[in-house]
Amino acid sequence: MLHTPGLLALFVAKLVSTFGSWLTLLALPWFVLVTTGSPVKMSAVLAAEFLGVATLGLPSGKVVARLGVRRTMLICDAARVPLMALIPLLHQTGWLSLPALLVVSFGLGAFTAPYVSSQRLILADLLGPTRGTDEKLLARANSLIDGATRVAALAGPALGGLLIALLGPAQVLWIDAGTYLISYLILAAFVRPPATVVAGTDRESSRASDEQSATFAGLRHALRHRALRLFVLALTFVTISVPAVFICLPVLVMDDLGGDPRTLGLLTAANGAGLAIGSLVAVTGLSRMNNTALTGAAMLQCAPLWLLLVDQAFAVASGLFLVGLATPLLAATLNTRVTLRTPAPIRPYVMTAVTTTENLAAFVGYTAAGPALQLSGLRTVFAVIATLAALGAITFAMALRADHSPPAVPSQRPREPGQHRHTPAIHEPAAGTEGNL
């Protein structure tokens, strides 16, 4: 996999930018909570980013289709450098306010949906016209790139808690701005997908091309396909619950676990450790897992969340670790099946629809968590989180049972600007049999 041109560079870019994002995930809510003392304001700042994704996510499908996945990623990284740097800069000059934080967070979210969608779609382009339609091979590539997120989730929170204690939360945000710049430079220099293939045009391809101009084409396709509909519903349940956990953790640490930001970093790093190990399992063993094993992974993701009700740091860390262990298996399965169960011309629209739904659910979780903490307390919120995650696991298992569709035919794919049409080589070797589901 790492010999595929551009894939290792994409892995490194993802690792660097996600490391910075984890620093922000700790530093920003801690900063708001310390300066305002309000969980509601803390959740509002984080929710504003997901509101930006939810508002502009579906229209961004047109942007991805028009500009191409690589150019979209470059524009999004370049835009997020000054946006992220604006927060510590305004803080230093004394101009930072809650409305300013909300506007900047919304702006960051506006560039998230097209970036994430492009990052998922570019994998098939990097693998090439034949290997990119091999479900096991594409799942392995998804697992590998997701692994960058998981490794960053291990190092980022632990180091983030230490840096917050040493430098202060506002100064840590400068580092995240720098990681976006590094990601941009890596993508610009080393990630260059080969020219895409245009194959024959059957009836499905023609209809998909006609729908390409419709903003909601991707959403309609996901809703018509029963398995994709259930996968997206499962993703919604889980994504409402998981962000709420990270809203609750700063309050838990501050109120019940001593108030040390290093404790917050260690708890989040426990989840990161599970994510890192789970990614290794996904890359090496997911291809041998059938639907029964994947259903077990879905249950493993939800059941340990009940440990959050135990008022002990070790129990909370254990629960977060086990949740992280199962997540890469499910994420790689979902991303791969969404890609290959969708005709190529509307993949940008479907993936942005999935990303938008995911972030809209996160927006609901972030928005509801702060007021719920004030009204009901930590234990009640943790119980609701665990219940929603259980619903997600059940729905994911239903989606696996319903998914009997073959991979989508590699018909016409949107071309990167400046690329030329060509036909596939007749003697191109078939993809290998090793891979992941």
Side-chain angles (χ1 to χ4, degrees):
M1 294 297 298
L2 293 179
H3 290 294
T4 300
L7 192 58
L8 178 59
L10 184 65
F11 175 89
V12 174
K14 177 73 169 176
L15 179 66
V16 171
S17 64
T18 307
F19 173 79
S21 297
W22 274 104
L23 295 182
T24 297
L25 185 61
L26 266 68
L28 190 56
W30 191 266
F31 172 74
V32 177
L33 190 61
V34 168
T35 55
T36 68
S38 171
V40 175
K41 293 180 179 179
M42 176 187 66
S43 64
V45 170
L46 293 178
E49 181 172 353
F50 291 94
L51 180 61
V53 178
T55 303
L56 302 176
L58 288 176
S60 70
K62 289 185 178 181
V63 175
V64 177
R66 182 179 296 273
L67 297 179
V69 290
R70 178 177 178 271
R71 183 175 294 181
T72 301
M73 293 173 69
L74 290 172
I75 292 173
C76 291
D77 265 344
R80 289 184 291 182
V81 173
L83 277 173
M84 181 56 68
L86 194 59
I87 298 176
L89 181 62
L90 289 175
H91 176 69
Q92 287 184 350
T93 59
W95 286 88
L96 187 63
S97 62
L98 181 61
L101 275 173
L102 294 174
V103 170
V104 172
S105 293
F106 182 89
L108 290 169
F111 292 98
T112 296
Y115 184 90
V116 172
S117 301
S118 298
Q119 189 176 65
R120 292 170 178 173
L121 291 170
I122 201 173
L123 293 176
D125 292 339
L126 289 174
L127 290 173
T130 300
R131 299 170 74 223
T133 58
D134 185 306
E135 185 165 328
K136 293 183 178 182
L137 196 60
L138 183 59
R140 171 180 262 182
N142 271 303
S143 299
L144 181 66
I145 298 304
D146 280 346
T149 304
R150 317 313 179 189
V151 172
L154 174 61
L159 183 58
L162 179 62
L163 290 174
I164 291 171
L166 293 176
L167 304 176
Q171 300 304 317
V172 172
L173 299 178
W174 284 110
I175 301 176
D176 192 13
T179 61
Y180 284 128
L181 177 59
I182 294 172
S183 175
Y184 172 87
L185 295 174
I186 293 173
L187 293 174
F190 302 109
V191 180
R192 298 180 179 275
T196 53
V197 174
V198 175
T201 57
D202 55 18
R203 180 179 300 178
E204 182 180 39
S205 300
S206 299
R207 186 177 66 235
S209 298
D210 292 337
E211 288 185 334
Q212 198 170 13
S213 61
T215 299
F216 294 95
L219 185 59
R220 287 198 300 269
H221 174 78
L223 292 177
R224 285 197 300 259
H225 193 293
R226 183 169 184 266
L228 293 188
R229 183 169 66 246
L230 290 171
F231 277 127
V232 172
L233 181 59
L235 181 66
T236 301
F237 282 129
V238 172
T239 314
I240 289 175
S241 59
V242 171
V245 172
F246 292 98
I247 287 289
C248 295
L249 285 182
V251 178
L252 175 66
V253 171
M254 188 166 289
D255 292 349
D256 299 336
L257 299 179
D260 190 337
R262 288 172 292 186
T263 303
L264 176 63
L266 291 175
L267 289 178
T268 313
N271 179 252
L275 291 170
I277 296 173
S279 293
L280 181 61
V281 174
V283 171
T284 58
L286 190 54
S287 61
R288 294 184 291 274
M289 292 186 180
N290 56 22
N291 284 354
T292 301
L294 291 172
T295 299
M299 298 305 171
L300 179 62
Q301 189 186 48
C302 72
L305 286 172
W306 293 101
L307 290 174
L308 299 179
L309 294 170
V310 181
D311 192 16
Q312 296 291 334
F314 179 77
V316 174
S318 299
L320 294 173
F321 172 81
L322 292 173
V323 169
L325 193 64
T327 298
L329 304 171
L330 308 180
T333 300
L334 187 146
N335 289 334
T336 300
R337 297 196 184 191
V338 168
T339 300
L340 295 183
R341 302 303 183 257
T342 303
I346 60 169
R347 282 179 187 169
Y349 298 92
V350 173
M351 195 60 76
T352 51
V354 172
T355 302
T356 300
T357 303
E358 180 181 2
N359 283 274
L360 181 59
F363 168 74
V364 172
Y366 274 124
T367 303
L373 284 171
Q374 287 192 338
L375 292 174
S376 304
L378 270 170
R379 299 298 172 267
T380 301
V381 175
F382 279 147
V384 172
I385 287 170
T387 302
L388 287 173
L391 291 174
I394 294 170
T395 309
F396 190 88
M398 294 171 59
L400 291 173
R401 290 175 60 88
D403 185 31
H404 302 298
S405 303
V409 177
S411 55
Q412 182 176 349
R413 297 184 53 81
R415 290 176 292 145
E416 295 279 359
Q419 289 179 344
H420 300 285
R421 296 173 180 241
H422 69 280
T423 55
I426 296 176
H427 301 293
E428 184 170 357
T433 57
E434 296 183 0
N436 303 90
L437 180 63

